[in-house]
Amino acid sequence: MADLSCKIAGVTSPNPFWLASAPPTDKQYNVERAFEAGWGGVVWKTLGEAGPPVVNVSSRYGSVDYNGQRMIGFNNIELITDRPLQVNLDEIAAVKKAWPDRAMVVSLMVPCNEQAWKEILQRVEQTGCDAVELNFGCPHGMSERGMGAAVGQVPEYIRDVTGWCKTYTDLPVFVKLTPNISDIRQPARAAHEGGADAVSLINTINSIVSVDLDIMAPMPTVAGKGAHGGYCGPAVRPIALSMVSEIARDAQTQNLPISGIGGINHWHDAAEFIALGCGSVQVCTAAMRYGYRIIDDLVDGLNNWMDSKGYNSIEDFRGAAIPNVTDWQHLDLNYETIASIDEDKCIECGLCHIVCEDTSHQAIRASKDSDGKRSYTVIDDECVGCNLCELVCPVPDCISMVEVENGKPYLNWGGHPNNPMRGG
Amino acid sequence: MSIQKSRLSVEKIDENFVDLHAPLNLLQAEQEAARCLFCHDAPCVDACPTGIDIPGFIRKISSGNLNGAATTILEENIMGGTCATVCPVEELCEQVCVKNTSEQKPVVIGQLQRFATDHLFAQAKQPFQRAPDSGKHIAVIGAGPAGLSCAHRLAMLGHQVSVFESRPKAGGLNEYGLAAYKMNDQRAAKEVEFILGIGGIEIEYEKSLGKDISLDKLRQQFDAVFIGLGHTAVNALGLDNEAADGVYNAVDYIEDIRQQDLSSLPVGRDVVVIGGGNTAIDIAVQIKKLGAENVSMVYRRGLKAMGATEYEQEIAQTNGVVIRTQGKPVAIHAADGKLSAVEFEYTQTDSNGRLVGTGENFSLPADQLFKAIGQSFDSQPLSDSEGPQIVAGRIQVDEQQRTSLNNVWAGGDCTTGADLTVEAVNDGKLAALSIHEYLK
Ligand SMILES: Cc1cc2nc3c(=O)[nH]c(=O)nc-3n(C[C@H](O)[C@H](O)[C@H](O)COP(=O)(O)OP(=O)(O)OC[C@H]3O[C@@H](n4cnc5c(N)ncnc54)[C@H](O)[C@@H]3O)c2cc1C
Ligand SMILES: Cc1cc2nc3c(=O)[nH]c(=O)nc-3n(C[C@H](O)[C@H](O)[C@H](O)COP(=O)(O)O)c2cc1C
Ligand code: SF4
């Protein structure tokens, strides 16, 4: 049994799985049941200023279903908590007291002025929570009021607000980043400059999940109208992984702790975030889709996998994939693979042939003998090693990409003869 | 010759006895697991006598955590490997799968269970650890599913266990009774080895209760006793010529199927099976697979009243067994001490629901007759000691498997309840938990 405990920016938890700031973490009743189920920590649903709470619409969620599977992508047009501030604060204090070993991070979003942040921090500190997370990510509803993504898209604001928070609290400050920006390193660097103890990413992505063709309105619809909402769930994971890797290998932010978020459904998704440097991971959609009980396999699966690899702790493999993330111009242009089809496994569906044929390489020949038996042969000289055929093949291990021993040395674009800008 | 060995070639016999369901491959398992909805408060869990967290283990298959999936299964049912292929899932977990309603097809829970447990067993991994030694020593009588399940749970809880088994091999009917095409590749023996792998369990083979050991003595020597004797007697027809050549107790012949070289077994041309339970189906199907030409299974009531499930009846029929109903055996005909025919009287159900003869008979030529009209519990092994209360021919137990004797528990076929492997495993587990409480 490996040790799954984690420590990130001074916050500890018995396992790296936290529930992300969202409806599953919006009240004591929920969070306590999550802790009973085994979650290592929570980021409480984002709190706003004192005063009348926000008002939510109905309905609020949209789904991307694919081939009979529900919610491979998910979006929402909810706002921050719609419960009174003091109620939330009292409950946070009660839960932290009852569950001292779990990470209790409180997400915050108040208007972009120093006084507002100072006031809320003073009140939040009273709860005994472990850290705060600044929600600079919410892409709808709040940004129109100059909060959330409206702040997260302007690095200077991030830096300044983070700086205020560091001035007014001793609690570790996590800055939650919006992916609705072209270069994620900019807001991460700004958070770092402002003194952030960690960044959390990603928040949700601007989206319309579908258009109802009968009522001619985007989903979810509210009285016949719809608005763009925040996209999350398994479909966004690749975007999140890429953004995490950018921050993890950026010279300025490479030592900045990261709490990884976005589409984590199974333990191996979490392991991938950790391999790219994350110190904890956060989950929202999967918990909303199935309930808190998914923590059982998240913990057990990660544990069994770590045992099988001989990793004793999260630190043993955290960041292990970062050195292998590079930029395209550093990839070896002399490295070659070609497709190889295991005829014994082939079920004769023909997909490898047609995708190669119509994706322009024409490297898999299709033939049919007099008995109607189909066979597919790779034309080695035509195969560029793109691995499209391997990806579409429905049979595990039927098509594999085999390395060609060409004896050529490492050569990247910088030194390639075809590169007009090649350094002399 | 009417009865002969090797009616079929060795190759043909091997082909006939392959697994009833081929093991799922990875792709099938993934796709089937993806069909599971991961229901909350899932009906399948309620329907499993051992209460396996079925949605939980299937989610672990989906995530690629196969050892975790197997452990989830074995935590509740240490014989989850055997149960995966022998449970009548069509009447248990799969019957209540919500996908029956939405897609007219359940998730194949049994086959997924096999996929996961096979994966773990292939690595010879022991997922459980023993609690620190409790200093207590418990006697288990019978190394069948009930006894071994009890022994394993007790060992896990830190107790020392001695198992007394009258036969030379452990496993009970897993080893000697279940249909060969459900239990290929020495699966029963491998499972026993896996169970013993936890440590703390010692089996004393060829030690019979009532002969080599007595309940009174065991109760004095050990801190607690569990009885898992199974059925100890077979029912007889009570007709003349029952000892004629060619007349067998189905369970005895089935034992030979499981223990002998299949091509060495005597197989008739015209075979009659009497009975309507799963044992009758199992012998009928297996004798057909061994090469018998005409196999008739005759049951005294109608199809609906049969103990064998509809699915089992279907297996018999697709294997070429003729199922005849409303026929009660009235005579066994023999010539020169050799079976020649079995005579039946047509029956019907009268207005009071009673089965009555019609006075009309039919006769089936037979060179082999298999009696599969039920087994029972014979309390003879207990007769030299103060015995537990017996009710309706079985040892009486409460919901914790406690007998009327203060330090004696019992479970499996020798107690009341459905005679299924999974029920025996659950009885053994419950008894172990109760013994553990008692010894605290
Ligand atoms: C032909 C047949 C097919 C079956 N098919 C299925 C099936 O497909 N699915 C299913 O779920 N169930 C099936 N069953 C039922 C299932 O096998 C039993 O319910 C189950 O084995 C009961 O377990 P047990 O431990 O109570 O008894 P057993 O399996 O009978 O084990 C009892 C053990 O006690 C030992 N023993 C007996 N007397 C003594 C003694 N005096 N001293 C010491 N040891 C003793 C025996 O040798 C044996 O090892 C089948 C049964 C039969 C007969
Ligand atoms: C319904 C809903 C409400 C959310 N509310 C908040 C919020 O209040 N504050 C916040 O920082 N993120 C919020 N999020 C974003 C999540 O915390 C998380 O960053 C995002 O959903 C990506 O993770 P996932 O793919 O696991 O869902 C919300 C997400 C959803 C689906
Ligand atoms: S999940 Fe369904 S029942 Fe529950 S609040 Fe939403 S719409 Fe209402």
Side-chain angles (χ1 to χ4, degrees), chain B residues 273-289:
Chain B
V273 174
I274 299 177
N278 286 337
T279 303
I281 298 273
D282 281 7
I283 186 64
V285 169
Q286 292 183 103
I287 200 75
K288 188 82 188 143
K289 283 177 183 286

Side-chain angles (χ1 to χ4, degrees), chain A residues 214-294:
Chain A
D214 293 323
I215 58 173
M216 284 295 171
M219 302 287 284
T221 50
V222 179
K225 308 271 185 222
H228 74 83
Y231 195 43
C232 52
V236 311
R237 192 172 65 246
I239 297 165
L241 286 171
S242 166
M243 291 186 162
V244 163
S245 77
E246 290 299 304
I247 295 170
R249 66 198 189 91
D250 181 55
Q252 290 178 46
T253 55
Q254 60 186 0
N255 294 320
L256 185 61
I258 305 172
S259 186
I261 319 169
I264 295 172
N265 181 40
H266 284 311
W267 59 268
H268 48 80
D269 306 328
E272 291 174 30
F273 275 92
I274 296 169
L276 288 175
C278 293
S280 74
V281 293
Q282 300 183 26
V283 178
C284 170
T285 303
M288 289 182 70
R289 166 93 169 77
Y290 297 108
Y292 300 129
R293 62 205 167 121
I294 58 166

Side-chain angles (χ1 to χ4, degrees), chain A residues 265 267-268 293 297 300-301 304, chain B residues 34 38-39 59-60 63 65 68:
Chain A
N265 181 40
W267 59 268
H268 48 80
R293 62 205 167 121
D297 184 45
D300 186 56
N304 285 340
Chain B
F38 196 44
C39 298
R59 186 166 170 87
K60 290 182 180 181
S63 83
N65 178 14

